[in-house]
Amino acid sequence: MSDTGPLQSLYRVQELDLELDRLRAEEASIPDALRDARAQQERLNNDLEDTEITLEGVEKQLRQLEQDLGGTREQIARAKEEQEKNAFDARAQSQYGSRIQMLEERAEEMAEDLTPLRERQRELGEKAGGLRGEHRALRPQLEELEAQDAARVQNLRDQGEGARQERAGLVAGIDSRTVKEYDLIRKAKKGLGLVEIRGGRCTGCNVMLPVNVQQKAAQGKLPPVKCPSCGRFLAKLG
């Protein structure tokens, strides 16, 4: 590139910006092993949460049913006591007997309902325990992968430190309005705020440039000449 003063510096700034863009993109790219481990942890957390919620619901049902069964058995006991004390004839004996039979049938149904609930409680408890075990087993691997990734990210940031310092030094010597406009153009135009003229064309959008635009851009003066089509700064190289 010919010595174009500020534009030469700005072109170097762009080279540094593109390198920093590459480093940032690499930093944001999560390694497959870490992504998989995080996904596995999230799955375990979700499965464990769902299992514990279901288990809590089953245990609530179980407690309520056990409480109801206990209350029914107390009713049976009281009814039998009352039968002994108050049933002096066949009719009273029959009435008490019917009530006791009804309560006993209800208690039997409740006792039968307890069996599948207790089995479900056991199954869910075992599942929750297994998920906690998987989570504990995964933790050291995930911690190691996280540490490796933190080191990777720090290494990339260290790589970019020299570019950032060089950029800061170059920018300090360029007109601030030009730098600001370059930043805005670069942000809007896929990372390129300053492009080369080759064969009379803008290499940013490939449009054929008017001769007067080419000539003015070749002077390399500020403010930079812009491509009339894409709006990027133009520079004549070579």
Side-chain angles (χ1 to χ4, degrees), residues 49-109:
E49 182 179 5
D50 291 343
T51 301
E52 288 178 335
I53 290 172
T54 304
L55 177 58
E56 184 179 352
V58 169
E59 289 177 336
K60 184 177 180 180
Q61 285 181 274
L62 193 57
R63 287 192 299 270
Q64 184 62 54
L65 189 56
E66 287 173 339
Q67 183 178 340
D68 293 344
L69 177 58
T72 301
R73 285 173 174 166
E74 288 178 1
Q75 287 180 306
I76 292 171
R78 285 197 299 270
K80 287 181 177 180
E81 289 177 2
E82 291 173 4
Q83 184 184 38
E84 290 180 3
K85 292 179 182 179
N86 304 323
F88 301 115
D89 54 38
R91 181 182 177 185
Q93 284 285 349
S94 177
Q95 289 175 339
Y96 275 110
S98 295
R99 182 164 180 262
I100 290 168
Q101 183 180 357
M102 181 190 68
L103 290 169
E104 286 177 339
E105 288 175 354
R106 186 187 302 168
E108 185 177 348
E109 290 175 358

Side-chain angles (χ1 to χ4, degrees), residues 93-156:
Q93 284 285 349
S94 177
Q95 289 175 339
Y96 275 110
S98 295
R99 182 164 180 262
I100 290 168
Q101 183 180 357
M102 181 190 68
L103 290 169
E104 286 177 339
E105 288 175 354
R106 186 187 302 168
E108 185 177 348
E109 290 175 358
M110 290 179 182
E112 290 176 354
D113 290 342
L114 281 172
T115 301
L117 278 175
R118 284 171 176 155
E119 178 61 21
R120 182 64 173 151
Q121 180 190 36
R122 183 191 64 77
E123 291 174 353
L124 289 168
E126 289 179 354
K127 182 179 179 181
L131 290 168
R132 291 189 193 97
E134 288 184 58
H135 194 282
R136 285 193 299 272
L138 176 63
R139 189 178 302 139
Q141 176 191 355
L142 181 57
E143 288 175 351
E144 176 62 23
L145 289 171
E146 293 286 6
Q148 291 174 4
D149 192 58
R152 178 188 70 86
V153 169
Q154 186 58 53
N155 180 56
L156 290 169

